[in-house]
Amino acid sequence: MDGDGECSSPTGRAPGLLPLFGPSPAAESLEDKLRRLSEENRKLSGALDAILADRPHLRALATSPTPSCHVHAPAEVAAASVTAEPRPKVRTVRARAEPSDADANHLKDGYQWRKYGQKVTRDNPYPRAYFRCAYAPSCPVKKKVQRSAEDKSMLVATYEGEHNHEQRAQSDDVSDASTILQQQQAGSLPCSISINSLGRTIILGPADQRPGSSAEAVAAAEVITPEFRKVLVDELVNLLKNDAEFMESLTSAVAARVMERIPGQIF
DNA sequence: CGAATTTGACCTGCGC
DNA sequence: GCGCAGGTCAAATTCG
């Protein structure tokens, strides 16, 4: 799943951003440079706040401790990161779970985990479960899952490290974003759209007949927060709108579906 | 019967 | 040095 981090490279910055790695005036002292960087950071933080003001879902994402784009870094953190060691790949995921679900601590997310311990911690009456990636013995990733003390219907999963293998631990075709989207949409729509990102096929059908509707797939979707879900949908919609090949496939699929629904004797 | 989970014991780091 | 809390180990137990 990882490889999602470090989305901005020093050389690939957008125009107008801080020229951290570009040529600087020779006469500029380190102190001046630091002051200028701090000022820039303040401006950027202000701009980010303004941008996020009417986008609470993005704000939530931007403030969550993900290892991806460092958009959430406040000025002082950004400044500190110049000399600090690289941050460990730790990220926290919150997911809603049924309080009655006895096994809810075993959040499924597309990877296969082996539980190796459980502990009751001081600040939370609910036990914390410890998992290791069971797919590859050499995979260093660990996961901690614990119910939130404030909201027992919420599960908090903390991931440490990066997988050194692919995500195909539990099933081969249910973990891609398109299928998760399908899972999310199927709950509110009478039919589902299944997009196979590998074979690039589109299947229209009733929600209860959708492919890949295994328990694992549903569970995998559980770890996607509503905020992330919305961003994911927006991204996918934008992507697909501009994809002529997709639009062609969609048109064909809709046409085929319509043909099925129209009684044959009309033609 | 093998694999996965449970759970008490043990280890380690940290604050006092 | 001591105690506490979090994290890990490994034997026992459960499950498919």
Side-chain angles (χ1 to χ4, degrees):
Chain A
M1 108 177 54
D2 271 314
D4 53 349
E6 278 64 67
C7 63
S8 59
S9 68
T11 54
R13 67 185 173 83
L17 291 185
L18 190 63
L20 274 173
F21 298 89
S24 55
E28 190 178 38
S29 71
L30 281 175
E31 199 174 357
D32 288 339
K33 204 180 287 183
L34 182 63
R35 199 173 302 127
R36 188 171 53 81
L37 294 179
S38 299
E39 180 62 26
E40 286 285 350
N41 268 323
R42 256 197 304 279
K43 286 178 186 173
L44 286 172
S45 295
L48 182 61
D49 279 343
I51 290 169
L52 295 178
D54 57 342
R55 296 171 176 81
H57 60 289
L58 282 179
R59 177 177 289 281
L61 281 174
T63 52
S64 69
T66 66
S68 52
C69 309
H70 296 173
V71 292
H72 60 288
E76 60 272 22
V77 173
S81 68
V82 171
T83 54
E85 289 181 13
R87 296 192 303 170
K89 296 284 183 182
V90 177
R91 63 191 184 88
T92 304
V93 174
R94 296 174 69 87
R96 191 158 294 279
E98 288 300 318
S100 59
D101 188 351
D103 194 35
N105 268 12
H106 198 156
L107 260 181
K108 300 223 180 119
D109 50 16
Y111 289 95
Q112 195 169 356
W113 300 95
R114 171 186 286 271
K115 188 176 184 178
Y116 66 90
Q118 180 167 309
K119 194 86 176 177
V120 176
T121 55
R122 213 167 66 97
D123 54 345
N124 193 326
Y126 301 104
R128 173 184 295 169
Y130 299 89
F131 297 93
R132 253 194 284 265
C133 182
Y135 180 64
S138 61
C139 183
V141 180
K142 289 175 188 171
K143 176 170 85 166
K144 289 179 281 189
V145 180
Q146 187 174 32
R147 280 192 190 278
S148 168
E150 301 89 42
D151 182 359
K152 65 179 182 181
S153 67
M154 292 297 290
L155 286 176
V156 181
T158 305
Y159 294 84
E160 292 180 26
E162 282 182 282
H163 292 278
N164 55 12
H165 55 86
E166 292 182 3
Q167 192 184 351
R168 306 302 184 191
Q170 284 190 319
S171 61
D172 285 336
D173 59 352
V174 298
S175 301
D176 58 289
S178 307
T179 309
I180 290 173
L181 260 182
Q182 167 212 336
Q183 301 292 340
Q184 299 300 328
Q185 293 167 336
S188 57
L189 295 175
C191 67
S192 68
I193 304 172
S194 174
I195 307 163
N196 182 339
S197 60
L198 297 176
R200 217 182 181 113
T201 57
I202 301 169
I203 303 163
L204 299 179
D208 57 349
Q209 293 177 12
R210 63 192 185 270
S213 60
S214 63
E216 287 88 347
V218 175
E222 284 176 3
V223 302
I224 308 296
T225 64
E227 292 82 4
F228 180 66
R229 194 181 307 161
K230 189 172 189 325
V231 174
L232 202 62
V233 170
D234 289 345
E235 283 293 321
L236 194 66
V237 166
N238 280 334
L239 211 75
L240 296 179
K241 266 195 311 195
N242 298 321
D243 189 332
E245 200 176 337
F246 168 77
M247 292 306 290
E248 190 182 337
S249 302
L250 179 63
T251 307
S252 304
V254 170
R257 194 70 190 166
V258 169
M259 287 294 285
E260 279 178 22
R261 292 295 176 125
I262 298 175
Q265 60 265 30
I266 292 182
F267 297 104

